[in-house]
Amino acid sequence: MKLYYTPNSPYARICRITAIESGLGEALELDWVGLRTQDSPVIPVSPLGRIPLLVDGDLVLSEARHICAYLDEKSGRRTVAPYGDWQAVAEEAQSLAFLDVVTVWSREMRRSEAERSGFLQEVADIQVRRGLAHLNDTLKTPAGKASAGAPPISFDALCVVAALGMMQFYELVTDWRESYPALAAWSDAYDAIASVADSAPSQDALRPLTR
Ligand SMILES: N[C@@H](CCC(=O)N[C@@H](CS)C(=O)NCC(=O)O)C(=O)O
């Protein structure tokens, strides 16, 4: 199996962590590709050229959630909420939406200051703070329990982990740790997992958006 990715993509990060934590790290070949370039090796198999993209034989699978569900089938573990457990699906959808909003905001931060949309940033700031407050009040794994052992790996949790990683990297809500302490403790428990720590966004992999 091959995963096309970029190191700072939060969606690809979720897939990479899921693969490692499900014992599929060795089985998953990683291929770092450029985005929005005409020569991307992704385009011949997936015309929009987006990542993460999983290729396994004839199967070309996009969307982090689908990729993780496929990895679940391979590993026999369950990280993605199954249709039928609608409460879990609903919570997962909220976490994915939170990641989407943080990602939109972070893309804005990759532009030069003159090119950033003030309106978009204002809207994202309000949305993200609402999301943070909701997560702070509702996260299910109490910090005490999480610190007693490794916290559970789920697509739901990894959406939040990846979103917080982007938030910190792009310094989007600088007071979030003080303002949302339960969430900060929750996050620390995940950041202690090697696959989470090793996949955090980095300056080395940062590609500014120049146009
Ligand atoms: N809904 C997708 C989002 C994937 C996504 O936004 N990928 C970005 C990188 S983080 C991408 O490929 N951007 C390139 C483009 O849109 O041309 C998922 O869950 O996998």
Side-chain angles (χ1 to χ4, degrees):
M1 285 186 294
K2 182 184 272 196
L3 184 76
Y4 292 104
Y5 81 112
T6 63
N8 283 2
S9 161
Y11 302 94
R13 185 183 183 199
I14 293 170
C15 301
R16 289 156 62 209
I17 296 170
T18 300
I20 292 169
E21 295 302 321
S22 303
L24 295 170
E26 297 282 305
L28 193 67
E29 185 191 337
L30 294 176
D31 195 339
W32 177 353
V33 296
L35 295 180
R36 302 181 184 129
T37 58
Q38 297 305 318
D39 59 351
S40 164
V42 169
I43 292 173
V45 285
S46 181
L48 297 183
R50 282 164 43 114
I51 55 93
L53 189 79
L54 182 97
V55 177
D56 190 17
D58 290 339
L59 179 69
V60 177
L61 192 59
S62 59
E63 294 294 317
R65 187 175 185 277
H66 296 329
I67 293 170
C68 290
Y70 186 73
L71 295 176
D72 280 358
E73 195 178 280
K74 292 266 174 196
S75 69
R77 291 184 67 167
R78 172 160 285 168
T79 66
V80 174
Y83 288 154
D85 185 350
W86 294 110
Q87 193 52 44
V89 170
E91 284 162 19
E92 192 182 67
Q94 289 289 334
S95 299
L96 182 55
F98 179 67
L99 172 58
D100 289 342
V101 172
V102 171
T103 301
V104 167
W105 190 0
S106 70
R107 279 192 190 131
E108 218 44 38
M109 301 306 281
R110 285 166 60 201
R111 296 181 206 287
S112 68
E113 240 175 292
E115 285 196 335
R116 290 178 198 157
S117 158
F119 172 70
L120 204 150
Q121 290 180 86
E122 254 173 55
V123 171
D125 182 71
I126 294 166
Q127 279 182 315
V128 167
R129 282 182 188 276
R130 280 204 302 257
L132 288 167
H134 172 78
L135 289 166
N136 194 64
D137 292 347
T138 59
L139 278 174
K140 273 202 234 77
T141 310
K145 190 179 157 208
S147 60
I153 296 295
S154 67
F155 184 77
D156 182 359
L158 292 182
C159 285
V160 178
V161 167
L164 294 176
M166 297 289 275
M167 255 179 48
Q168 291 183 97
F169 184 68
Y170 289 100
E171 300 178 349
L172 297 183
V173 181
T174 48
D175 66 324
W176 80 273
R177 293 199 145 265
E178 302 79 60
S179 301
Y180 311 101
L183 178 60
W186 181 96
S187 167
D188 288 344
Y190 279 92
D191 286 347
I193 300 172
S195 61
V196 173
D198 294 347
S199 59
S202 76
Q203 286 295 337
D204 288 348
L206 183 64
R207 300 285 179 268
L209 290 177
T210 49
R211 57 191 178 120

